[in-house]
Amino acid sequence: SYELTQPPSLSVSPGQTATITCSGDELEDKYVCWYQQRPGQSPVLVLFEDDKRPSGIPERFSGSNSGNTATLTISGTQSMDEADYYCHVWDSNALVFGGGTRLTVL
Amino acid sequence: EVQLVESGGGLVQPGGSLRLSCAASGFTVSNDCVNWVRRAPGNGLEWISVVSCGGRTYYADSVKGRFSASRDTSKNTVFLQMNSLRVEDTAVYYCARGGGGSGWDFLDYWGQGALATVAS
């Protein structure tokens, strides 16, 4: 089965850029989406089809996908961005999530 | 406005059963795919099942043969029947609407979640 790998944690200072990676075999051949889950809340879709933002998602969230790695970039990180982030692809009639990255804004 | 509301969670002993419901509004479950995703304590998100817009169902290997998803289009509701429950099935279960070209490339609306606890 297909696997996605994310770093377990990342810490950034407010105002800095946070870069979260997601790795998988020939990932660029798939559409990657990203979810944010704050503590005690339901997940929220922040990017779909690699780099598209749903309505209401701030412009500081951006994405890319090349080779075996997709990237979620948060520019000018704010304290409200502290959350768990998950990448996700569709593969062979199943959805696959990465293990998640806990973003801490110090 | 799209909304999904889960219900039916609770405490059950190992080997028991639970039935979760996901009441949808703002869209029809006959036209859109609805997925079930769970998050166990200390773990990340795990996809469980989908009821596709064509009525077909697919399952993760971890629940295949034990869980069954279905829908009632007259009630615009999707169900997850969970049998032979194990301690490791303890989790918050979310239903989420699928979107994109396949109908479930991404999950654009999520419910608030229902907690299922399997313990003796």
Side-chain angles (χ1 to χ4, degrees):
Chain A
S1 60
Y2 196 80
E3 293 185 0
L4 295 172
T5 302
Q6 297 180 236
S9 63
L10 177 68
S11 295
V12 297
S13 300
Q16 287 192 329
T17 296
T19 302
I20 300 173
T21 59
C22 173
S23 299
D25 188 39
E26 297 181 335
L27 189 56
E28 67 179 356
D29 293 339
K30 303 179 184 299
Y31 273 139
V32 177
C33 57
W34 292 88
Y35 301 90
Q36 174 195 70
Q37 187 174 30
R38 296 187 177 110
Q41 297 188 18
S42 300
V44 172
L45 178 69
V46 294
L47 291 176
F48 66 100
E49 293 179 1
D50 297 340
D51 58 5
K52 297 179 175 60
R53 283 179 289 105
S55 174
I57 300 302
E59 291 184 7
R60 64 178 181 274
F61 288 86
S62 62
S64 63
N65 184 12
S66 179
N68 295 325
T69 303
T71 301
L72 167 67
T73 301
I74 310 173
S75 304
T77 305
Q78 300 180 8
S79 58
M80 65 186 298
D81 299 329
E82 188 162 283
D84 294 328
Y85 291 85
Y86 297 89
C87 59
H88 156 220
V89 298
W90 180 95
D91 179 77
S92 302
N93 290 325
L95 297 184
V96 180
F97 286 96
T101 298
R102 176 151 296 178
L103 177 65
T104 301
V105 183
L106 297 172
Chain B
E1 180 190 8
V2 172
Q3 282 192 318
L4 301 103
V5 179
E6 300 96 338
S7 60
L11 174 64
V12 64
Q13 292 186 339
S17 298
L18 275 177
R19 189 193 195 207
L20 303 182
S21 299
C22 171
S25 58
F27 72 100
T28 58
V29 300
S30 57
N31 291 335
D32 289 319
C33 306
V34 177
N35 291 257
W36 290 95
V37 176
R38 70 184 178 185
R39 185 169 185 184
N43 288 3
L45 298 176
E46 179 188 13
W47 175 77
I48 295 300
S49 176
V50 63
V51 179
S52 77
C53 24
R56 299 189 67 178
T57 54
Y58 299 95
Y59 302 94
D61 289 344
S62 59
V63 304
K64 203 171 293 183
R66 300 188 299 123
F67 289 14
S68 176
S70 61
R71 66 184 184 183
D72 184 334
T73 55
S74 68
K75 296 180 179 178
N76 210 34
T77 298
V78 173
F79 304 97
L80 184 67
Q81 178 67 42
M82 305 188 293
N83 299 328
S84 303
L85 283 163
R86 306 166 179 167
V87 170
E88 55 265 34
D89 294 318
T90 295
V92 176
Y93 286 77
Y94 301 96
C95 59
R97 189 183 78 163
S102 74
W104 47 305
D105 292 343
F106 53 82
L107 306 176
D108 55 3
Y109 289 93
W110 295 66
Q112 84 287 356
L115 176 62
T117 303
V118 185
S120 54

